[in-house]
Amino acid sequence: MLGIIIGVSAVIFINSVGAGAQSLIFNQIKGVGSNLIGILPGGSEEDGPPASVMGIIITTLTNDDALAIAKQILHAESVTSYVKGTGTLHWQAQTADSSFNGVSSSYIVTEETEVGEGRFFTEDEARDLSRVIVLGSQIKEDLFGDQDPIGQTVRLKKENFRVIGVMKPRGTAGFQNYDTEVFIPLLTAQKLLLGIKHISFMRVKIDKEIYMDDSVEQIKQILRDRHNISNASEDDFSVRNQAQALQVLGSVTDALRLFMAAIAALGLLVGGIGIMNIMLVAVNERVREIGLRKAVGATYKNILWQFLLETTFISFFAGAIGIILGIGFSFLAALIVRQLDYDWDFVVSWQSIVLGFSASCAVGLIFGIYPARKAARLEPIDALRYE
Amino acid sequence: MPLIKITDLCKDYANDGVLTKVLHHLNFEIAKGEFTALMAPSGSGKSTLMHILGLLDRPTCGIYELDGKDVTKLSDDELAELRNHKMGFVFQSFNLLPRTSVLENVKLPLFYGHAPIDQHDELAKRALESVGLEHRLHYLSNQLSGGEKQRVAIARALVTNPEVIFADEPTGNLDSKSGGQVMEILQTLNQSGRTIILVTHETYTAEHAQRIIRLKDGEIVSDEKVRDRKTAGDGLIK
């Protein structure tokens, strides 16, 4: 009975937490902006992850592609190229590990984010290979504490950078903590720190959502022209809009949830075996009762159903307790996560309740069969004589 | 036509490959309305015979005709059906459902029978009245005295209005007063036309019947009418 309770509540809990986490990630991604188109180097299936996600470096995408897109796409509000790297920032005796982003000056427009103190770098600074840096709020905190960072010089990969701004706190989206990132001009990052000509990816912000699909097609065409590709199946880039990204992410997290629910189901199985044992003991304890029932006219089927109903009732009951506990735990988890300042939805889907309930009843039925058959097969005379 | 007719009936038990012959080729008849006692010392097969007559067990050989019909070839379900509406059982150890009310205990056979469910309470109450326990309807079976328990068991045996009641040492666990009450009830039932088969090892108890069949080592040693029949209520000594 305890096994079933734990199993069912685990199913509910995992589903609820999974759904909550999923909606949290979705909301954060949507917060980035739903009018974004992402362009990644390397071809990919429509709904599979592009090669660059797997850590394969592809050098075919360049900032010139970004400039061409910015020029040719009518509805492109901004186009931002990105390169990424990691390094340790030094200021006086303080250090902070960060991931640095070489980005176009359009970054704050594309990402709809804001600078808290100071300013972001300008297009001119970006073009001139300026050694300026904008810090994430957490990095600023780590390096400078309460001191004013603007105008200070920090070292990153043996190069000096002048701090010109600090981003507003933005929090975590998916697996990315924006507040531990720093931003430097794209060209500076490419030439000074990384020694590369390609970019990691680019993002295009479209002014209105209705132009998204057209723009995606146009971007693909521009890139094919520029990369001399005649056949779409040979694309060396992937163009994704937000909706597709959400789909990919959704399928990944769904799989994860399913996997965890399967583990919870294992708990149910163990619970089922527990119920079977309880019922076998019950059958042994009630041998005389079974004998008497048979003596006064109970048939094989009567006894079989009596015991099957009993196990099903027990597991039904255990399932109900499990569901209540599961909802309770999920609610508790939601409260705790909200305390940590995340925008967490408390979701208990009716599917998971139905699943939990029917699973527990099924377990009761299946594991009740053996003890019930054992009871029903007793000879009345042996059962009556049993001491 | 006799209610029960036994022809060449025998019963063997195989225990760990050792064959034990419990009953040897028995022949007898019991008429409708007869009060018969099966008497024998312990371990001489009288309970086995009662179980076979009560369709709780099957004979190894021979024919058992109930109401003119051979019942040795019937399926388990058919036997259960016959037990339900033709027979009632009273056991030495009462066999009531523990932690269950008197009324529910008496209703139990109806649950497996054909009587409409809205009559169950009424039938059970009437059966309990006939054993003088109408004031104990909602007591739990374990709150009753031994004599009361056995009377509940008799009510349970009566509730389906069976033709024959089997009583297996019904006074065995009772004091003489309670035992007397039980025998009185059985005699009253017999007077109202019911067939009673009583199993006992006590001559005194057996002499409440009209006829005694004595068994020894699985064989009938005598089968005779009771000349000096005891009437319950005149001081039954256990």
Side-chain angles (χ1 to χ4, degrees):
Chain A
M1 182 129 167
L2 195 65
I4 299 240
I5 292 175
I6 292 172
V8 170
S9 57
V11 168
I12 305 270
F13 180 69
I14 285 170
N15 263 300
S16 167
V17 170
Q22 209 167 27
S23 73
L24 178 73
I25 294 172
F26 280 9
N27 286 339
Q28 284 179 337
I29 288 176
K30 278 182 190 149
V32 171
S34 54
N35 291 5
L36 282 185
I37 294 172
I39 300 149
L40 292 148
S44 70
E45 301 291 323
E46 264 293 291
D47 48 0
S52 52
V53 172
M54 312 293 199
I56 298 163
I57 297 164
I58 298 167
T59 59
T60 47
L61 203 63
T62 65
N63 193 40
D64 289 342
D65 291 327
L67 295 176
I69 287 167
K71 198 181 283 175
Q72 290 176 49
I73 300 291
L74 259 164
H75 297 286
E77 196 178 330
S78 66
V79 179
T80 305
S81 297
Y82 298 72
V83 292
K84 284 183 171 273
T86 54
T88 307
L89 283 163
H90 300 264
W91 181 72
Q92 294 180 352
Q94 305 295 323
T95 61
D97 290 322
S98 81
S99 45
F100 64 83
N101 296 267
V103 293
S104 320
S105 54
S106 57
Y107 175 83
I108 21 184
V109 180
T110 307
E111 300 263 342
E112 289 175 7
T113 165
E114 280 174 66
V115 177
E117 296 171 59
R119 60 178 179 85
F120 211 75
F121 45 81
T122 62
E123 214 175 324
D124 287 340
E125 281 171 321
R127 198 182 309 119
D128 293 348
L129 223 67
S130 297
R131 298 180 187 205
V132 288
I133 192 163
V134 178
L135 306 178
S137 58
Q138 184 64 47
I139 294 285
K140 181 252 160 184
E141 204 66 32
D142 290 349
L143 283 182
F144 295 97
D146 292 337
Q147 299 176 60
D148 182 13
I150 308 295
Q152 300 289 339
T153 302
V154 296
R155 284 178 73 78
L156 172 62
K157 292 209 158 187
K158 294 177 185 161
E159 300 288 343
N160 287 325
F161 288 86
R162 183 164 53 90
V163 178
I164 57 166
V166 178
M167 302 299 289
K168 268 197 174 161
R170 196 174 163 193
T172 308
F175 306 104
Q176 192 179 9
N177 184 355
Y178 288 105
D179 298 336
T180 61
E181 301 199 329
V182 297
F183 304 89
I184 56 177
L186 176 74
L187 205 58
T188 312
Q190 279 180 317
K191 294 214 159 152
L192 241 52
L193 299 187
L194 298 168
I196 55 172
K197 286 195 168 128
H198 64 270
I199 59 172
S200 305
F201 59 93
M202 71 174 94
R203 281 178 181 159
V204 180
K205 186 177 184 186
I206 303 298
D207 53 9
K208 284 208 178 80
E209 206 167 339
I210 46 165
Y211 302 123
M212 290 290 281
D213 289 347
D214 285 348
S215 302
V216 166
E217 285 314 308
Q218 287 166 17
I219 288 169
K220 283 182 180 169
Q221 205 47 56
I222 292 166
L223 289 176
R224 274 179 208 136
D225 288 348
R226 290 182 52 83
H227 295 185
N228 296 322
I229 293 163
S230 52
N231 191 334
S233 65
E234 290 163 10
D235 281 354
D236 60 357
F237 56 88
S238 308
V239 181
R240 295 284 172 78
N241 63 32
Q242 202 71 54
Q244 282 172 313
L246 284 179
Q247 250 172 32
V248 174
L249 203 66
S251 65
V252 172
T253 47
D254 273 349
L256 214 64
R257 251 164 91 187
L258 207 69
F259 173 70
M260 304 221 292
I263 292 177
L266 213 66
L268 272 180
L269 192 77
V270 175
I273 293 170
I275 285 221
M276 184 163 79
N277 274 325
I278 293 175
M279 288 314 288
L280 281 175
V281 171
V283 168
N284 273 333
E285 276 174 356
R286 289 159 61 184
V287 163
R288 287 181 73 86
E289 177 194 324
I290 296 162
L292 173 80
R293 284 177 184 274
K294 286 207 151 186
V296 300
T299 59
Y300 175 86
K301 271 187 189 161
N302 291 147
I303 302 289
L304 188 78
W305 278 109
Q306 182 194 341
F307 277 84
L308 267 187
L309 282 176
E310 265 176 51
T311 34
T312 311
F313 180 76
I314 290 176
S315 45
F316 183 84
F317 196 64
I321 295 178
I323 284 170
I324 292 166
L325 278 183
I327 293 174
F329 282 136
S330 310
F331 187 69
L332 217 67
L335 279 185
I336 291 169
V337 176
R338 277 186 198 148
Q339 283 296 309
L340 300 173
D341 247 5
Y342 285 96
D343 179 23
W344 183 271
D345 287 350
F346 171 59
V347 193
V348 175
S349 66
W350 62 267
Q351 286 102 329
S352 68
I353 290 178
V354 170
L355 180 79
F357 235 151
S358 46
S360 64
C361 290
V363 161
L365 262 181
I366 291 166
F367 287 95
I369 286 174
Y370 176 63
R373 275 174 60 97
K374 206 181 152 188
R377 278 180 161 176
L378 286 172
E379 289 291 335
I381 183 67
D382 294 332
L384 278 172
R385 271 199 199 129
Y386 183 87
E387 291 299 334
Chain B
M1 184 179 62
L3 177 67
I4 287 171
K5 185 178 180 202
I6 296 293
T7 316
D8 235 3
L9 188 97
C10 67
K11 178 71 182 176
D12 305 333
Y13 280 118
N15 239 342
D16 296 328
V18 184
L19 198 71
T20 318
K21 286 183 181 297
V22 185
L23 299 174
H24 309 269
H25 304 280
L26 305 180
N27 293 285
F28 62 85
E29 293 178 2
I30 292 173
K32 237 173 220 165
E34 231 181 331
F35 189 159
T36 310
L38 294 173
M39 235 197 102
S42 300
S44 51
K46 62 183 188 299
S47 282
T48 303
L49 178 57
M50 194 211 86
H51 289 146
I52 290 173
L53 294 179
L55 302 176
L56 294 165
D57 203 357
R58 290 168 187 274
T60 313
C61 65
I63 295 168
Y64 171 14
E65 283 165 88
L66 180 70
D67 261 345
K69 210 173 111 195
D70 185 8
V71 292
T72 51
K73 301 283 185 295
L74 294 182
S75 73
D76 284 351
D77 283 359
E78 287 168 317
L79 292 181
E81 162 102 21
L82 278 179
R83 282 198 297 270
N84 183 257
H85 71 260
K86 273 202 171 17
M87 299 173 173
F89 294 92
V90 178
F91 301 98
Q92 179 175 1
S93 50
F94 324 129
N95 281 328
L96 300 181
L97 297 183
R99 296 175 297 279
T100 308
S101 78
V102 165
L103 191 66
E104 291 301 319
N105 263 290
V106 174
K107 275 159 71 178
L108 185 69
L110 298 172
F111 182 70
Y112 301 110
H114 300 299
I117 197 146
D118 54 338
Q119 291 176 18
H120 286 190
D121 273 354
E122 190 51 42
L123 288 169
K125 278 179 194 162
R126 217 178 298 157
L128 279 162
E129 268 167 39
S130 67
V131 297
L133 281 177
E134 61 274 19
H135 57 295
R136 290 276 192 264
L137 293 187
H138 301 292
Y139 276 57
L140 297 185
S141 60
N142 36 317
Q143 294 170 325
L144 301 177
S145 71
E148 286 174 326
K149 281 182 185 170
Q150 198 59 299
R151 280 148 68 194
V152 172
I154 294 173
R156 181 181 61 196
L158 279 177
V159 74
T160 54
N161 193 23
E163 286 188 41
V164 50
I165 287 178
F166 292 92
D168 187 359
E169 304 270 15
T171 59
N173 282 0
L174 301 178
D175 60 76
S176 57
K177 185 167 170 276
S178 309
Q181 284 175 334
V182 166
M183 291 315 297
E184 192 183 336
I185 292 168
L186 288 179
Q187 281 189 329
T188 313
L189 289 173
N190 175 242
Q191 277 155 21
S192 62
R194 228 171 289 263
T195 311
I196 312 260
I197 297 176
L198 170 75
V199 172
T200 182
H201 64 277
E202 297 160 351
T203 314
Y204 188 86
T205 310
E207 283 175 347
H208 285 75
Q210 299 161 335
R211 170 188 174 193
I212 299 179
I213 300 177
R214 285 194 168 79
L215 286 178
K216 199 177 178 194
D217 300 328
E219 283 175 277
I220 295 176
V221 289
S222 75
D223 181 351
E224 54 198 15
K225 285 246 185 298
V226 179
R227 265 162 294 165
D228 183 18
R229 195 173 170 204
K230 300 279 188 301
T231 312
D234 32 84
L236 187 89
I237 304 156
K238 201 183 145 195

